[in-house]
């Protein structure tokens, strides 16, 4: 497959869209994790934990109780090697 040549402006636009940083915003945490393939967890924080900052940057204000609920109650997400990933990614 031959490489695709894109103008820098278009490549930037695609990168921003691919990371869910443009409108329209996703509606829920699961949608963000599924699209990105996972959230990297990092307990070292200057402002807040990494996974929570990523969610906030994609969703805006969101229900912070939803992440533990998805992980431990509904079990739609799980932790694997410092990442939060969808259970559907289990082999």
């Amino acid at each position: 497959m031959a490489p695709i040549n894109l103008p820098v402006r278009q490549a930037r636009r695609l990168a921003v869209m691919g990371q869910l940083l443009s409108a329209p915003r996703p509606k829920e945490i699961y949608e963000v994790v599924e699209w990105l393939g996972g959230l990297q967890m990092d307990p070292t924080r200057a402002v807040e934990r990494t996974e929570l900052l990523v969610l906030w940057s994609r969703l805006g204000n969101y229900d912070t109780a939803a992440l533990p609920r998805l992980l431990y109650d509904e079990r739609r997400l799980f932790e694997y090697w410092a990442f939060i990933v969808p259970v559907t990614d289990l082999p």
Side-chain angles (χ1 to χ4, degrees):
M1 179 180 271
I4 299 171
N5 293 317
L6 296 174
V8 172
R9 184 178 178 130
Q10 187 176 4
R12 284 185 188 132
R13 187 176 307 122
L14 288 172
V16 168
M17 289 170 51
Q19 288 296 310
L20 297 175
L21 292 169
S22 63
R25 284 182 182 254
K27 302 229 184 296
E28 63 174 29
I29 291 172
Y30 188 83
E31 186 180 348
V32 172
V33 176
E34 187 175 46
W35 178 268
L36 297 178
L39 291 178
Q40 185 174 355
M41 299 170 63
D42 186 355
T44 306
R45 62 183 180 192
V47 176
E48 187 54 88
R49 292 180 58 105
T50 304
E51 65 273 19
L52 302 179
L53 289 175
V54 169
L55 290 172
W56 180 81
S57 68
R58 274 53 173 196
L59 298 167
N61 291 332
Y62 68 97
D63 177 12
T64 56
L67 183 57
R69 189 170 49 248
L70 286 166
L71 284 163
Y72 308 116
D73 297 337
E74 298 176 20
R75 298 181 185 254
R76 292 176 63 197
L77 301 173
F78 70 102
E79 296 178 20
Y80 181 74
W81 284 48
F83 280 85
I84 295 172
V85 295
V87 169
T88 55
D89 286 356
L90 280 171

